[in-house]
Amino acid sequence: MLSGDQDLPDGIGMARLAWTRLPTADGSAAAASTSAPQDELFVGAVESLDYEVIENYAYREEQAQRSKFWVPYYIMLKWFFALVIGVGTGLAAIFINLAVENFSGWKFTLTFKIIQHSYFVGFLVYILLNLALVFSSVYIITQFAPAAAGSGIPEIKGYLNGVDTHGILLFRTLVGKIFGSIGSVGGGLALGKEGPLVHTGACIASLLGQGGSAKYHLNSRWVQIFESDRDRRDLVTCGCAAGVAAAFRAPVGGVLFALEEVTSWWRSHLMWRVFFTSAVVAVVVRSAMNWCNSGKCGHFGAGGFIIWDISGGQEDYSYQELLPVAIIGVIGGLLGALFNQLTLYITKWRRTYLHKKGKRVQIFEACLISLITSTVSFVLPLLRKCSPCPELEANSGIQCPHPPGTDGNFVNFYCSKDNEYNDLATIFFNSQDDAIRNLFSAKTFHEYSAQSLITFLVMFYSLAVVTFGTAVPAGQFVPGIMIGSTYGRLVGMSVVKFYKKLNVDEGTYALLGAASFLGGSMRMTVSLCVIMVEITNNLQLLPLIMLVLLISKAVGDFFNEGLYEEQARLKGIPLLDSRPKQIMRNMSARDACKNQKVVCLPRVSRVIDIISVLRSNNHNGFPIVDRGQNGEQLVIGLILRSHLLVLLQSKVDFQNTPFPCGPGVLNRHNFSDFVKPPSSKGKSIDDIHLTDDELGLYLDLAPFLNPSPYIVPEDMSLAKVYNLFRQLGLRHIFVVPRPSRVVGLITRKDLLLEEDGDIATTELQSTTVRAHLNGKTPGGNSHLQRPLLDSLMIE
């Protein structure tokens, strides 16, 4: 039998030269995986993703067998998938908007017709219609797709951060997200469909990457080329950007949202595909809306490609307006931080006490909130006196009062005269998109009274806090815009009254208020700024939007974290922030893993020993050790738990002798055999069934391990380890003692190889190289430095 160095020379032999001895039993040194404690803490709920390329022998053999046409085909397929993701997300957004707008339109039209005869009957019909829509949504979520509840953005952000939550990218989650959003938003709850659209785009991208859904027999083998988590991560990023582009008709904002809010990394070549996907979404949505503008889609299409166009409003601003703009920013930061804290407390209470009682309680809760929301939106306008219609310009295109059951300002609701309107019903008894359009509307001075706006602000803010966290798809973009535009319009009314000579429009301040609340709650800056400009078609207000976003984010950051970060932590998703905490700079890698027990496996292990290790702990990665030439124990690589389960289940690699196997094992597996479907639980140790004879056999792990995982010295600062872990998208890092020798030093020059890849032609004319060749060092102490080097040190 050949030794390990002979039959596996490329990876294992080089690893033995570079890696140090394992720690002894007394724990004098540490060698561990930094992600092991996270894997134990969040076991059963989430699992880390393998964004690192595992260069084992199955991977290398598959790479060697690929033809020269594979790379062009691979690139072409990536661009084709970007196109399909854009088209699919655009069509999904059109379907959701079409259903929501028509359900809302039919609901309000029917209600307005009935209240012409009886307000009580109209009230009952309105409540029952909303209740039916909300019940359909919560029933779909609780019975069919539990992972589709909420906005989905914290889970997708976790996925792109390197954490996979079970069920978030499955086919049933996609179906539940689409139809659940229609019911919850169409049912009038204080939530939006924009966050769920981001999740919808990510699901479409993930399903395309894995070739469809095998469970529902909707899969195809020819597209199953993206088998690594890294490729699927790129596709999900395109899906997130497509979701934002479809939700707000903001393609550039979608790209920036993916860059700023959800991804933990970025590559320039991915930017082009994400931009292309967002552009495709814009074309698809615009084409569909042009077709719908002819009246073939019912109530859908009237809003146009830009949702809330205020280009005809305030065109300029004065330096005197900077103070009220700053006040709006402070208010947005305070109310946004308060919103985050209240939703955190309520969601924590709901998950701890309420939702543990079963699905019926979740259904009852959503239906109860629907009843409260419908009652508030119908009854409160009844308590408000109507106002006479103002004198409007002939060419303003605004009608007062607006015909019952149609979209627009100045709704006639419970008014005694035909030329009166109810300002509270204009924003309460309306769809959310139309209510925002009314609040943003230009040249509608004195349309709303301060009392009505304050009433709406308090009630809708409370409803949004309570509704967030129920078992329905729920986004917070549109509710946040409604809350912010309400107090923004209040400030605008004060500015109009105080600065009587300025050309001030109340709708402008409503826009700034919406931006401030989103900035104070979600802590987005660049992407949100571009989205607000795109959806309002007003570039002149860009400096003011930037100002309120900076102020609101600064104020909000003083109190707590952003909404998505708070919710991700509550759901047990271990997000790695962009920067390490300050305390990490005073800690070493040894401090982070000093309480860990390193669980290792020998290169040739007994099957029963592997089973015992997998059952006795929850680690997802295990160092593999082997005996060196002098009998010392050396680390030769890392093997994943999922790979061990594949080997145990296949049984084809079991052997009778405790000696390293021959090279024939390399042909028994493909790299795709070790791929775990996204958002699935994967294989479990309970799925492995072996006989007593098979438990006594052996398994050589060398061909399947990662021979070159990342390692750090034990005294490296934890902040540097953190940055390395996050920026490279790693799952494990080995912590080892200081190495005893250096085999080389790679610099920038060594990585600039020519296309032929001939390392021998690289110019090595540095001072260190010449000094080494002459037997000297720049400092003259050649006898101190030469024993530490095995080869040339390149600078």
Side-chain angles (χ1 to χ4, degrees), residues 90-171:
L91 293 177
I94 292 168
F95 175 73
I96 293 174
N97 278 279
L98 185 69
V100 169
E101 292 292 328
N102 280 285
F103 276 129
S104 300
W106 295 332
K107 176 181 64 180
F108 287 117
T109 301
L110 179 61
T111 304
F112 270 108
K113 286 182 179 180
I114 295 176
I115 63 177
Q116 302 300 321
H117 306 283
S118 172
Y119 274 87
F120 180 73
V121 176
F123 172 60
L124 293 179
V125 171
Y126 179 71
I127 284 183
L128 291 176
L129 290 176
N130 283 335
L131 187 61
L133 289 170
V134 172
F135 176 79
S136 67
S137 175
V138 69
Y139 186 83
I140 290 173
I141 299 304
T142 55
Q143 303 297 327
F144 180 69
S151 70
I153 292 181
E155 290 85 354
I156 299 303
K157 187 171 183 177
Y159 183 88
L160 296 177
N161 194 260
V163 180
D164 189 12
T165 306
H166 172 63
I168 63 170
L169 297 175
L170 301 180
F171 178 73

Side-chain angles (χ1 to χ4, degrees), residues 727-740:
Q727 293 174 8
L728 295 181
L730 303 181
R731 186 175 184 179
H732 301 92
I733 292 182
F734 279 2
V735 180
V736 299
R738 277 289 177 181
S740 58

